[in-house]
Amino acid sequence: MATGRIYGGRAGEERLADRRAKLIDAGLDLLGAADGDATLSVRGVCKLAGLASRYFYESFADRDELTGAVYDYVVQRIAESTLAAIAAAPREDRALVRACVENIVHEIGEDPRLGRMLFSVSQANPQLAKRRLDSTRMFAGLVMLQAEDFYEVEPSPRLDLAAHYVVGGLAQALTAWLDETVPLSRDDVIEECTELLLAMASHLNRS
């Protein structure tokens, strides 16, 4: 059964996915810019993406839906690459924690738009409040799973609290580094954050 008309060897669904990706990237450019863009507009996004406005509405109902899609893209990208880095690291606590921190710092260091969207824009944008809460819970859940697996500890409210503390603390530390409030090199940030997270892990493992 046909899944879409073919133009230049590419199905309609593939071209639709490409246009959606361009719109998300354009939205990330605007929302994640150093000076931000609180007035994200359909016209501005389409101009940056090089697409007619009719293509916007085949993927998104309005600019709020695009904003949510941009945030979801960033969360998924960070989560997937971090889990992959952890999976590839040696089964040793320092190596695992460093792999996690190094990957996140690398992601936002190479593409600061990701960090601004994840840490700053999501705080300033009221429509992202629930998504931010959900993603924080998701990241805290991933921290809990890693702790339960590596340290063989039982899930508990105390572990849940610590996981949220880790996620929130790391996010704030990286926000301060990204906006240059904390003038440290990338390597120093990785090292310091790794040590802080290891100290938290050691505290949990002792009790």
Side-chain angles (χ1 to χ4, degrees), residues 10-71:
R10 304 175 68 217
E13 289 84 352
E14 184 182 349
R15 289 181 285 108
L16 173 60
D18 283 351
R19 289 192 292 269
R20 178 183 172 85
K22 287 180 180 179
L23 290 166
I24 288 176
D25 192 60
L28 182 56
D29 267 348
L30 294 172
L31 290 167
D35 56 354
D37 188 347
T39 58
L40 183 70
S41 68
V42 173
R43 178 178 296 178
V45 170
C46 290
K47 181 179 180 180
L48 190 58
L51 295 170
S53 59
R54 70 178 184 275
Y55 291 125
F56 180 94
Y57 294 105
E58 70 181 359
S59 292
F60 305 104
D62 51 34
R63 64 185 185 182
D64 289 349
E65 189 173 329
L66 172 63
T67 299
V70 172
Y71 182 76

Side-chain angles (χ1 to χ4, degrees), residues 90 92-100 150-151 191 194-195 198:
E92 185 268 328
D93 57 355
R94 177 177 293 277
L96 291 169
V97 171
R98 186 179 180 85
C100 170
F150 186 81
Y151 293 110
E191 187 63 28
T194 297
E195 291 300 325
L198 283 170

